[in-house]
Amino acid sequence: KAGVTQTPRYLIKTRGQQVTLSCSPISGHRSVSWYQQTPGQGLQFLFEYFSETQRNKGNFPGRFSGRQFSNSRSEMNVSTLELGDSALYLCASSFVAASYGYTFGSGTRLTVV
Amino acid sequence: SQQGEEDPQALSIQEGENATMNCSYKTSINNLQWYRQNSGRGLVHLILIRSNEREKHSGRLRVTLDTSKKSSSLLITASRAADTASYFCATDETGTQGGSEKLVFGKGTKLTVNP
């Protein structure tokens, strides 16, 4: 079966711009989580969605937002980009919840200049 | 916040040798998971061990869990150059909204297997 698909793979944006990242989970998986990975902070949890509802949110500013559609596809948006937002953004899907184990996408590498 | 902390941060061994990575965590958990990440790519789920289990095997992988010491170890036997990657432990954490969960990852152990 198809894995978790993240688009785009690479993105270069300018400070102050906004960006939208997309994630298509494995078919049948209803939980989608987003993580930010940086060399300094490691993997930081952003948010988790299940059946179009945000169930959990990490400690990120309101510039970071997300949503999930009825087909379980998810998007995350970052507004007013800052240099520190440069990171690898990873999407992970699970059948029900993280306790069952994640399947990760390959990530979107965002560079803010 | 970091829950799991891996030790060592980096490990370099020769092909055929065994590699052992350790993970310590702070709070009570339902389960602990290990993931592998090849450079700049997504993470791959390796193994999940529940809090009532003490040891689990999967191929060349052996995971142990000691809930009294809040620690886990991942052993890779007969390592291969293809095992070169970063390895992360992750613990589940109940979210603020009832029933939802997230995983909290450590900073990882970077394993290099030399041919």
Side-chain angles (χ1 to χ4, degrees), chain A residues 42-95:
Chain A
L43 282 147
Q44 300 286 315
F45 174 79
L46 282 158
F47 24 65
E48 188 253 3
Y49 288 88
F50 182 86
S51 294
E52 301 179 68
T53 299
Q54 185 182 87
R55 295 196 299 186
N56 208 337
K57 189 177 190 306
N59 295 324
F60 278 82
R63 300 185 296 107
F64 291 81
S65 63
R67 58 178 176 168
Q68 187 181 35
F69 302 95
S70 58
N71 61 357
S72 293
R73 190 176 71 85
S74 177
E75 287 181 348
M76 68 162 282
N77 184 77
V78 188
S79 62
T80 319
L81 284 165
E82 300 176 359
L83 295 179
D85 297 333
S86 294
L88 181 66
Y89 289 88
L90 292 163
C91 167
S93 77
S94 179
F95 180 61

Side-chain angles (χ1 to χ4, degrees), chain A residues 9 33 35 37 39-45 48 54-58 88 90 97-107 109, chain B residues 1-2 30-31 33 35 37 40-45 48 50 88 92-97 99-107:
Chain A
R9 285 296 315 280
S33 299
Y35 286 81
Q37 186 178 29
Q41 298 298 315
L43 282 147
Q44 300 286 315
F45 174 79
E48 188 253 3
Q54 185 182 87
R55 295 196 299 186
N56 208 337
K57 189 177 190 306
L88 181 66
L90 292 163
S99 283
Y100 294 85
Y102 283 137
T103 300
F104 278 85
S106 295
R109 172 74 62 186
Chain B
S1 62
Q2 301 300 130
N30 292 322
N31 66 58
Q33 305 176 30
Y35 289 80
Q37 183 179 35
R41 308 283 297 185
L43 282 74
V44 175
H45 184 263
L48 180 154
R50 302 194 185 284
F88 297 86
D92 69 338
E93 180 173 306
T94 303
T96 53
Q97 294 158 296
S100 65
E101 295 163 335
K102 66 180 183 183
L103 291 187
V104 180
F105 288 83
K107 292 210 170 180

